[in-house]
Amino acid sequence: MAELPARCRGLLAGHTGYERHPDLGWTPAGYVSHITDNLRNWAERLAGARLSGAVDVPGYDPDLVAEGRSYNRIAPAAALWSLERAADAWASSVTAALDAGTVLRHAERGAQRAEDVARNNAHDGHHHLWDIQRILRYAGRPKV
């Protein structure tokens, strides 16, 4: 997870960040913004549970967040800047939650230990790196 911002920055180097793939709704900058929001969301939830005992957490709709924040219009440099800060906050929150043995009660997923959250977030981040690569490969193909 510590390498996630640098990996995103490396993928976007030499690209606009606004490239599109016909099967995906977001641009590379949009996926970076989604990763950012996901990390912030889970960091906040873990901190809330650890600091105040607020362990019950709802689900959320990432597409509504994307619409509200206009992911595909966010400047790629700003998205990368935001990801760096979110990743730092996430690492701090996860570390503290792991040390405290924090367990959330997710509305759909049930009990979510801090290590479950960390593993799920890492999987999501890795998956979305693949989405970004997929967009950029498609955008680099000659158009017929």
Side-chain angles (χ1 to χ4, degrees):
M1 290 297 281
E3 298 173 8
L4 193 58
R7 290 189 65 198
C8 285
R9 186 173 298 284
L11 286 174
L12 268 62
H15 299 279
T16 69
Y18 296 113
E19 292 83 1
R20 299 303 302 249
H21 187 289
D23 297 336
L24 299 171
W26 299 335
T27 63
Y31 276 102
V32 170
S33 297
H34 169 65
I35 294 167
T36 298
D37 285 338
N38 196 49
L39 294 181
R40 285 187 184 177
N41 181 51
W42 286 104
E44 183 178 81
R45 288 171 172 200
L46 289 170
R50 184 177 58 78
L51 298 171
S52 70
V55 298
D56 292 313
V57 297
Y60 77 98
D61 186 333
D63 291 320
L64 288 177
V65 175
E67 183 179 332
R69 291 200 57 228
S70 300
Y71 277 178
N72 291 334
R73 296 178 63 198
I74 293 175
L80 291 166
W81 174 87
S82 190
L83 177 58
E84 289 173 0
R85 280 134 192 90
D88 287 345
W90 179 89
S92 175
S93 184
V94 167
T95 299
L98 288 168
D99 290 345
T102 302
V103 180
L104 302 175
R105 282 192 307 254
H106 190 276
E108 286 93 30
R109 299 177 188 169
Q112 295 280 286
R113 300 170 301 157
E115 51 264 49
D116 298 323
V117 171
R119 190 176 303 110
N120 289 341
N121 293 169
H123 171 80
D124 288 346
H126 178 76
H127 176 78
H128 293 312
L129 286 173
W130 178 77
D131 289 325
I132 293 168
Q133 290 170 331
R134 187 173 164 207
I135 294 166
L136 296 174
R137 277 193 306 269
Y138 178 83
R141 292 182 183 160
K143 306 297 181 229
V144 213

